[in-house]
Amino acid sequence: MIKNYWNKGSKQKKRVILFSLILLVILFVMRDDYQPALLYLRKYIFVILLSVLVLFLGFRKFRRSASGVTRTGTLVMMTIFFVMIYLVGWQFKMYEYAKTYNVFNDLNKIEIDELPLTRNERIQPLRNIYSMANESVGETKDVSLPHLVRVDGINKWTMAIQPTEKYVWQGMSDNTEEVFAVSSTTPFPRFSSENRISVTFSIGESLKFSRNTYNAVVQRFNPWMLFNYEPSDTYYMKDDAGKWVEVVSLIKWKGFFFPYPTFGGVMVIESGEHDFKDYLERIVIGKGTYISPEEMNNYPYLTRQNTLSEKVSRLQAESLKFLGGFSDPLPWNMKTAVKIPVLPNDQNQQPFVTDFDFTDTKISAYSGLYHWFGLEPVGDERTSLTFSVFIPADGTDKLYYYDHAAKKQGYAGVSAMPLKVIESRKEYDWSVNKPVEFRPYIKDLAGRKRMFFLGTISAVRDENSQFDGSATPDLALIDSEYRDVIWIDAKKPSLWEETVYNQLNEAWRASEGIGYYFVDETKTVETAQKILDSIKAIPSIDKEALEIEKLQRQIDSIKALKKLVKEEKPTLNE
């Protein structure tokens, strides 16, 4: 049709050329709008090609056959095929099953024999930080979802103070002009003063059109990346020059048969004002500097950092269910089948970003931020801790796991924690207070490493079911082995270990035969001084002083007698 129109004359040729140029410009400028469709084709390329092949062969046989029975049989077989594709692939989730198995085969899995210690424990859960940050901004501002990152060597919650999505005009005209950076180890997070940093980003998560983070990053993709990459979580941190940057985690899809997601590096967006030059750059080539996973070691601020998409890490942790083989998670096996537990009242599900110290674990793992998962058996009634999974938060191609089940430790998992906390404090109104976000707390205590879960009690607002953060939350530590709940003071983290020991030391000594810990040692000098202080001093006797005191008492008696006589004389004269 186009060829016939082209041959009609020069006027038609000019129209075709003009229309083609306009179409190319639209396809180029609006590639961020249709990129999800390209990505969908990439994710399901095998199923799509197989379906197209079956359709082609089926309809060709249908057209070439003159028999009604053959035609009917062809249609029936095609229908059965597509019904089976739906039932097996989607209804029974075998497509996800095969994709997860590909993730498992791609993983660099390392089993560890010793748990790492936790450090720099964060006091507040993510949703408390989010609610308190929203309490500190105005009507026309929103706060992006907080992420735990390293800033100047300190673990901090960072989030952007961005134009609200409720008012479209702000998203089109305003910039992101401030960033919250709040220490994660303090029970008193402050959302003012030095924790509210002035920095301008012309690209933001809540901004509109080409200034939206997703759109700007996709515009930066080359044609190959349009089919294989997608933007994920957005982080705010400082680069090696001390400047604030916006770091967007990328997901890369790999494989032809049942493609699966992996860490694809990051796109770094620098701060800066919005101007006409910036507008042209965003429209034509997008914004950001792409850093591949192999190049990230060249940027110290991206190492031991939190840049991994949680969508990727969740699938990696879940794939450990194939440790017993491809068929083990199927219903007739289930020996090593595990799941990531989901807590109904917890608005922040695993992974929990935690700071781990791997110094004494005898493996070459860095000490820093990791995505932690506590995997449990797939049955709803089973709540034991099967695996502890440690995935480097900076996207390092490794996964460390500790097999609690194989060591027959019998630890209780995350799903068992809420009821234990509720049972320990029956006086609470648990309809409006929820124990949430049970992150690991591992310490070398009383002779060996012990694993606890640190949970926070958060209030929930009835009108919107959002957590209401408290500056001094109630904290509970639960011993995953002894199942006891220890309530600790959020203001005094230095006393947590001693508090735990004071409550559980007798149980530990009776069960494990351990010695005494946290006993105040008294120095020899102090002991000698205490003995001297306890001896009653014997006063020396001074005879002359006693004689003088005796005479003084006699003089005082004579003076008192004379005074009494003088007072009685007037009475006698009368």
Side-chain angles (χ1 to χ4, degrees):
M1 184 179 69
I2 297 177
K3 184 178 180 180
N4 294 333
Y5 187 78
W6 173 273
N7 293 329
K8 285 184 178 180
S10 60
K11 186 175 181 180
Q12 283 75 16
K13 291 181 180 179
K14 291 179 181 178
R15 289 177 179 175
V16 171
I17 293 173
L18 180 62
F19 176 78
S20 300
L21 290 175
I22 293 174
L23 182 62
L24 286 174
V25 170
I26 291 175
L27 289 175
F28 181 75
V29 173
M30 302 185 66
R31 57 191 183 277
D32 56 304
D33 293 315
Y34 62 80
Q35 195 259 352
L38 300 179
L39 200 60
Y40 182 86
L41 292 175
R42 174 68 181 91
K43 292 179 182 179
Y44 301 101
I45 182 67
F46 171 68
V47 175
I48 292 173
L49 290 178
L50 181 62
S51 300
V52 170
L53 180 62
V54 171
L55 281 173
F56 173 75
L57 295 176
F59 280 117
R60 188 176 68 171
K61 184 175 180 62
F62 180 85
R63 293 181 61 184
R64 290 183 176 182
S65 176
S67 170
V69 175
T70 303
R71 288 190 171 190
T72 302
T74 302
L75 292 176
V76 170
M77 292 300 295
M78 290 173 61
T79 303
I80 292 174
F81 171 79
F82 287 107
V83 169
M84 291 297 295
I85 284 286
Y86 172 75
L87 291 177
V88 176
W90 273 261
Q91 194 68 21
F92 296 109
K93 300 181 179 180
M94 290 304 295
Y95 186 89
E96 290 293 325
Y97 188 91
K99 180 177 73 174
T100 308
Y101 183 68
N102 282 343
V103 172
F104 175 80
N105 289 330
D106 185 63
L107 279 178
N108 181 13
K109 302 172 289 294
I110 301 174
E111 184 175 1
I112 58 178
D113 295 324
E114 193 172 357
L115 286 171
L117 300 177
T118 56
R119 63 182 189 179
N120 302 319
E121 272 73 25
R122 53 189 176 92
I123 307 297
Q124 297 280 0
L126 182 146
R127 284 293 170 176
N128 277 18
I129 294 293
Y130 185 59
S131 65
M132 287 188 282
N134 276 302
E135 294 169 356
S136 306
V137 297
E139 173 65 19
T140 60
K141 298 294 182 182
D142 277 341
V143 177
S144 65
L145 192 67
H147 289 286
L148 189 66
V149 300
R150 190 185 72 251
V151 179
D152 297 329
I154 301 173
N155 295 338
K156 292 188 176 183
W157 294 106
T158 61
M159 61 218 89
I161 306 174
Q162 56 193 9
T164 180
E165 295 185 10
K166 292 192 297 183
Y167 307 115
V168 179
W169 178 249
Q170 276 80 3
M172 296 172 58
S173 59
D174 294 351
N175 295 317
T176 297
E177 297 180 345
E178 289 181 302
V179 171
F180 279 134
V182 183
S183 173
S184 64
T185 58
T186 176
F188 308 105
R190 297 170 57 236
F191 295 87
S192 59
S193 185
E194 68 278 3
N195 294 334
R196 191 164 180 161
I197 296 94
S198 297
V199 57
T200 301
F201 288 100
S202 61
I203 307 297
E205 298 169 76
S206 68
L207 302 182
K208 304 299 180 183
F209 307 118
S210 63
R211 300 179 64 201
N212 181 267
T213 300
Y214 177 89
N215 295 345
V217 170
V218 171
Q219 291 283 83
R220 199 67 161 183
F221 289 165
N222 58 41
W224 171 253
M225 296 178 74
L226 284 174
F227 281 91
N228 293 280
Y229 287 78
E230 65 174 305
S232 185
D233 303 323
T234 302
Y235 306 87
Y236 297 88
M237 61 187 69
K238 284 186 179 181
D239 63 11
D240 293 324
K243 297 180 180 178
W244 282 91
V245 292
E246 189 176 349
V247 179
V248 182
S249 179
L250 301 180
I251 297 175
K252 179 182 179 181
W253 289 85
K254 297 174 64 176
F256 177 77
F257 299 101
F258 309 106
Y260 57 96
T262 61
F263 178 62
V266 296
M267 193 74 77
V268 179
I269 302 174
E270 297 181 353
S271 58
E273 295 284 348
H274 165 62
D275 53 24
F276 184 71
K277 180 182 177 182
D278 181 60
Y279 173 77
L280 291 179
E281 181 183 4
R282 292 197 314 270
I283 293 295
V284 178
I285 60 173
K287 293 284 287 185
T289 302
Y290 173 65
I291 301 176
S292 67
E294 295 76 21
E295 297 173 330
M296 288 181 64
N297 286 331
N298 301 328
Y299 300 86
Y301 77 97
L302 293 176
T303 59
R304 308 186 182 189
Q305 186 59 275
N306 183 18
T307 56
L308 177 64
S309 169
E310 294 185 0
K311 180 179 178 180
V312 173
S313 65
R314 281 184 65 89
L315 201 57
Q316 290 178 343
E318 186 182 353
S319 72
L320 286 185
K321 65 185 178 182
F322 292 105
L323 280 172
F326 176 78
S327 62
D328 190 77
L330 294 175
W332 52 84
N333 287 327
M334 293 286 185
K335 290 183 180 179
T336 61
V338 289
K339 70 177 187 297
I340 300 173
V342 176
L343 301 183
N345 293 323
D346 205 330
Q347 296 181 7
N348 179 36
Q349 302 294 339
Q350 296 182 36
F352 298 140
V353 181
T354 308
D355 196 340
F356 288 99
D357 183 2
F358 277 83
T359 304
D360 60 349
T361 56
K362 301 177 183 179
I363 61 172
S364 59
Y366 72 78
S367 296
L369 297 177
Y370 285 77
H371 288 193
W372 178 86
F373 294 86
L375 304 184
E376 301 175 7
V378 293
D380 294 334
E381 70 281 3
R382 299 288 183 261
T383 59
S384 63
L385 183 62
T386 305
F387 294 108
S388 282
V389 181
F390 311 87
I391 301 178
D394 64 355
T396 301
D397 185 25
K398 290 182 180 178
L399 178 146
Y400 304 97
Y401 68 95
Y402 183 90
D403 194 341
H404 297 277
K407 294 176 173 55
K408 299 182 179 180
Q409 293 180 327
Y411 287 178
V414 173
S415 340
M417 297 300 112
L419 286 179
K420 297 187 183 304
V421 173
I422 291 172
E423 185 183 9
S424 69
R425 287 287 172 92
K426 296 181 176 63
E427 66 273 16
Y428 272 51
D429 183 359
W430 293 111
S431 63
V432 294
N433 294 286
K434 306 295 181 183
V436 299
E437 201 170 303
F438 291 95
R439 51 265 190 205
Y441 180 83
I442 307 171
K443 295 297 178 181
D444 196 346
L445 184 60
R448 66 180 178 88
K449 289 183 178 179
R450 301 182 186 274
M451 186 170 188
F452 303 84
F453 288 105
L454 174 61
T456 306
I457 311 303
S458 293
V460 180
R461 299 171 181 170
D462 292 334
E463 62 270 16
N464 55 14
S465 297
Q466 292 294 319
F467 287 157
D468 187 8
S470 169
T472 54
D474 289 337
L475 298 180
L477 280 173
I478 305 93
D479 190 326
S480 60
E481 183 177 8
Y482 287 79
R483 274 74 166 174
D484 196 26
V485 180
I486 306 100
W487 292 87
I488 54 178
D489 190 346
K491 304 174 187 177
K492 300 177 180 179
S494 60
L495 299 179
W496 289 0
E497 293 183 32
E498 186 173 355
T499 303
V500 171
Y501 178 80
N502 289 337
Q503 181 165 328
L504 289 174
N505 73 89
E506 293 188 14
W508 291 344
R509 290 203 307 273
S511 177
E512 304 172 20
I514 65 172
Y516 289 86
Y517 297 84
F518 288 100
V519 178
D520 293 333
E521 296 181 358
T522 307
K523 296 180 180 179
T524 305
V525 176
E526 295 175 348
T527 304
Q529 185 62 45
K530 287 181 179 179
I531 294 174
L532 289 174
D533 292 341
S534 65
I535 298 175
K536 293 183 179 180
I538 301 175
S540 59
I541 300 174
D542 190 343
K543 294 182 178 180
E544 293 182 356
L546 290 175
E547 189 66 27
I548 292 172
E549 186 179 353
K550 181 180 179 181
L551 292 173
Q552 185 63 47
R553 287 199 297 269
Q554 291 177 356
I555 294 171
D556 291 340
S557 299
I558 294 171
K559 288 181 178 180
L561 183 60
K562 287 183 177 180
K563 184 178 180 181
L564 181 62
V565 170
K566 288 181 180 180
E567 290 177 353
E568 290 179 350
K569 279 185 179 181
T571 306
L572 294 173
N573 292 333
E574 292 177 1

